[in-house]
Amino acid sequence: MADRATQHPIPSVWARPEHKPDQPTLSRAAIVREAIVMLDAEGIEALSMRKLATRLNAGAASLYRHVATKDELMELAVDEVAAEIHVPSSDGPDWRPAVAEAARSFRTTALRHPWLSSVLGQAGLAYLGPNLMSYSERLATLFAVAGFEDPNGAIDAVLSYVIGMSTTEAAWLLTVARSGESEADFIARLLPAAQQAVDGHEHLAKGYAVTAETIADPVALRDAKFAYALDIVLDGLEVRLTR
């Protein structure tokens, strides 16, 4: 078994031992912290091992001693920011408020790091990381205590919604940021074109019949949309639980 593992290693940073730092200032932790700064500021496309090494005043070869590939670096970055996600404890069957808070915290973290949601499905075996594993375990505990026979299925339902919604929302906010305008101003400028596009589509048009007050507070609008659909997901889980 050991020989097979050596000859065919799992392509994940979590499946091999960590190198000891060869410089006091260069460690896996330092590399990941700087990578997250770059990701937050410039996005995934701008991140490269060469640029990262330059920012750390190190040679690329030194980085590769700690992180074998960019994919491994993304696994580490994903798990590092996952530590920011809060899952409240629950000792009884009142699971909905705790799960809703865990979902909101995930969304907040994903919007703070706009690259996160889009790479969760591409970051190799990132779910093996200790922080993501801890997050999943705490969610599983909430569902298990509530009486769900399949806590993992409930987790999949909630996270599929949260990740999908956060990915869309982060992409929208990136579009707004590139415009150089505030979100409210960008919506006001975009709205006539959007209303023209849905003209003749009765049900879609209702969604674009917004008031000036709504446009003035787009954050509240996004929060309300997230909460509404999250309630639908939780309603479905509650039906499954009672059934």
Side-chain angles (χ1 to χ4, degrees):
M1 185 68 71
D3 289 343
R4 180 174 176 78
T6 301
Q7 295 172 7
H8 303 282
I10 298 294
S12 171
V13 69
W14 305 114
R16 63 179 179 79
E18 179 180 357
H19 279 290
K20 297 298 181 182
D22 50 4
Q23 302 176 26
T25 58
L26 186 63
S27 63
R28 177 186 285 182
I31 293 169
V32 173
R33 283 195 301 269
E34 190 62 33
I36 291 171
V37 171
M38 289 186 66
L39 287 165
D40 289 348
E42 305 176 48
I44 300 169
E45 296 78 9
L47 178 66
S48 70
M49 300 295 273
R50 179 182 57 79
K51 289 181 180 178
L52 185 57
T54 299
R55 290 173 64 107
L56 290 166
N57 295 316
S62 297
L63 265 63
Y64 284 117
R65 285 179 51 82
H66 302 279
V67 184
T69 64
K70 181 178 175 179
D71 287 342
E72 285 196 1
L73 181 60
M74 293 305 302
E75 286 185 342
L76 290 162
V78 166
D79 195 69
E80 183 69 18
V81 300
E84 302 172 18
I85 307 172
H86 174 63
V87 181
S89 60
S90 177
D91 299 325
D94 192 16
W95 57 274
R96 283 189 64 143
V99 173
E101 173 58 28
R104 288 192 296 269
S105 181
F106 196 112
R107 172 189 175 231
T108 298
T109 301
L111 296 184
R112 187 185 302 122
H113 306 285
W115 50 272
L116 176 60
S117 294
S118 65
V119 302
L120 273 173
Q122 309 170 30
L125 302 179
Y127 62 84
L128 294 177
N131 291 322
L132 271 178
M133 192 68 73
S134 175
Y135 175 78
S136 298
E137 173 63 16
R138 284 176 286 161
L139 267 184
T141 299
L142 287 178
F143 286 123
V145 170
F148 284 85
E149 292 184 358
D150 181 15
N152 289 331
I155 291 173
D156 288 343
V158 172
L159 289 189
S160 293
Y161 164 69
V162 175
I163 292 172
M165 193 70 163
S166 299
T167 300
T168 302
E169 197 170 358
W172 159 254
L173 291 175
L174 179 60
T175 299
V176 172
R178 286 172 174 166
S179 75
E181 299 175 275
S182 70
E183 188 175 4
D185 289 343
F186 185 78
I187 291 174
R189 188 163 61 87
L190 175 66
L191 193 57
Q195 290 173 331
Q196 182 178 355
V198 298
D199 185 35
H201 301 279
E202 177 185 357
H203 297 291
L204 294 178
K206 292 178 181 179
Y208 286 89
V210 297
T211 64
E213 290 78 9
T214 301
I215 296 173
D217 195 357
V219 175
L221 178 61
R222 288 190 283 107
D223 288 346
K225 289 177 63 176
F226 180 85
Y228 177 79
L230 178 61
D231 275 343
I232 292 175
V233 174
L234 298 183
D235 286 346
L237 288 175
E238 192 162 22
V239 169
R240 176 60 63 91
L241 177 63
T242 56
R243 190 175 64 189

